[in-house]
Amino acid sequence: MMSAAVAHSNIALAKYWGKLPREGNFPAVPSLSVTLGALKTITRVGFDARLTEDRVSIDGKVASGRSRDRVVRVLDELRAIAGRSCRAEVDSHNEFPTGAGLASSASGFAALALAGQAALGLDLTREEVSRIARRASASAARSLFGGYVELLPGAEAARALAPPNWLDLVVLIVITSSAPKATSSTQGMLLTQATSPYYRAWLDAASEVFAEARRALMARDFAALGAATEHSMLLMHASALAARPAVCYLTDASWRVVACVDRLRAAGVLAFSTLDAGPNVKVLVRSEDAPRTAEVIERIGGVERVIVSQAGPEACLVD
Ligand code: PMV
């Protein structure tokens, strides 16, 4: 049987960086994200007794090596739950550039877990699907849900905190480069954990800034949420920069965007920047400020384009 699912990417407002020292891919710190309506992945999964091995294609290209292995691990987990052994054909399409810090792994693994379990005739709870996605990529656990989502350290699954329309918030996704990143998020966080003298400080600060962001979100306080978001990003990247060798995801163009957002704020526009493990900046603004902020940012050297996104819906099965 064949099933398809759509999931949207997410951007962490309070970041996850670092893993608990135990099996199962559990984050070391709590995180809070907003699902991005504009960044969508559709994944089709079909199990077929005639196949001799899993066949995985991402954006029309046959996947091999680590990216295929990660998909196969999810399929293995689903097969174990279903008590089946047949191989699968997986076909995943991102409606945005992959591997450029736009968290295609989050939407990809969320859609894979959701479509995969349906293709095996399972009817798992959303929590169970989130748990399976988390084991492949912790941020993927959050992409099963729409709106604002949290993932706590040691928790099996992410949890929805507020629906997409909870806040007047627009995310400007600033594409500064479509090139694949040099250091994956897993490599980057493990190196930070092993070598950065700031990692311990990050662990404490991350929990505090998460609590601040969560409070601001629940109070619908855009300015306080934006300030906590930007601070969380700077804390995370500071800890990564202090690793040996340094883990640096920001390029010249990324810094120019962050500096421009700072200037806009000084001029009275409520805008805040954040970046995950890649060079693209996401800028949080209110809807009334989105068009002119996007216009200013599009003129910055090194900016290729700006995608305007609202908070997105939960992942779902499609025909
Ligand atoms: O889920 P992973 O293993 O790809 O790591 C995600 C790490 C960040 O995107 C930088 C932060 C986050 O909370 O999404």
Side-chain angles (χ1 to χ4, degrees):
M1 182 171 141
M2 155 110 165
S3 293
V6 164
H8 295 82
S9 182
N10 68 80
I11 174 76
L13 305 175
K15 305 286 183 205
Y16 137 62
W17 195 247
K19 297 178 195 281
L20 288 183
R22 60 161 140 133
E23 278 294 293
N25 200 33
F26 290 97
V29 297
S31 59
L32 192 161
S33 61
V34 59
T35 301
L36 296 171
L39 301 184
K40 159 172 147 180
T41 299
I42 176 158
T43 302
R44 291 183 182 80
V45 183
F47 287 87
D48 186 338
R50 289 165 303 184
L51 291 172
T52 52
E53 58 172 21
D54 292 317
R55 290 210 290 237
V56 181
S57 114
I58 302 173
D59 287 328
K61 286 199 212 88
V62 175
S64 58
R66 188 168 172 265
S67 48
R68 179 181 178 276
D69 293 349
R70 291 175 79 192
V71 170
V72 171
R73 274 209 297 276
V74 173
L75 297 171
D76 283 343
E77 182 149 4
L78 292 169
R79 281 187 282 252
I81 295 171
R84 302 265 299 276
S85 62
C86 54
R87 305 290 111 183
E89 176 113 44
V90 175
D91 187 16
S92 192
H93 283 274
N94 293 305
E95 288 187 3
F96 52 94
T98 39
L102 287 181
S104 58
S105 66
S107 48
F109 286 113
L112 172 69
L114 188 60
Q117 59 92 34
L120 281 166
L122 298 167
D123 186 17
L124 300 180
T125 63
R126 191 137 295 242
E127 285 64 35
E128 185 61 1
V129 181
S130 172
R131 181 191 75 79
I132 293 164
R134 176 186 51 72
R135 291 172 64 94
S137 160
S139 56
R142 299 187 308 238
S143 271
L144 266 313
F145 301 93
Y148 299 84
V149 185
E150 71 176 1
L151 178 62
L152 302 179
E156 291 289 354
R159 195 164 79 92
L161 285 177
N165 62 357
W166 180 254
L167 263 189
D168 174 18
L169 180 147
V170 169
V171 182
L172 303 176
I173 301 158
V174 184
I175 311 291
T176 53
S177 155
S178 309
K181 60 192 170 201
T183 312
S184 74
S185 49
T186 295
Q187 284 169 329
M189 67 179 85
L190 292 180
L191 194 62
T192 304
Q193 219 163 330
T195 66
S196 172
Y198 295 170
Y199 183 70
R200 295 214 63 79
W202 154 254
L203 291 179
D204 292 337
S207 293
E208 279 170 36
V209 82
F210 164 81
E212 187 184 324
R214 195 181 190 285
R215 264 196 312 274
L217 172 70
M218 294 335 274
R220 291 190 161 104
D221 185 339
F222 175 85
L225 180 62
T229 297
E230 199 169 292
H231 188 51
S232 172
M233 175 277 283
L234 291 168
L235 287 167
M236 178 207 124
H237 287 281
S239 75
L241 281 169
R244 282 185 103 163
V247 176
C248 180
Y249 293 108
L250 287 96
T251 60
D252 290 1
S254 323
W255 282 117
R256 280 197 290 276
V257 176
V258 171
C260 171
V261 167
D262 240 15
R263 282 196 302 277
L264 283 169
R265 208 162 52 232
V269 181
L270 275 184
F272 302 90
S273 45
T274 187
L275 294 94
D276 279 342
N280 301 311
V281 186
K282 286 88 181 175
V283 179
L284 312 185
V285 281
R286 289 183 303 195
S287 51
E288 61 176 6
D289 293 325
R292 68 182 168 135
T293 307
E295 219 172 275
V296 172
I297 290 174
E298 258 160 5
R299 289 201 294 266
I300 298 171
V303 170
E304 289 173 9
R305 62 191 271 233
V306 175
I307 301 169
V308 180
S309 183
Q310 310 286 337
E314 63 176 13
C316 64
L317 290 168
V318 290
D319 292 336

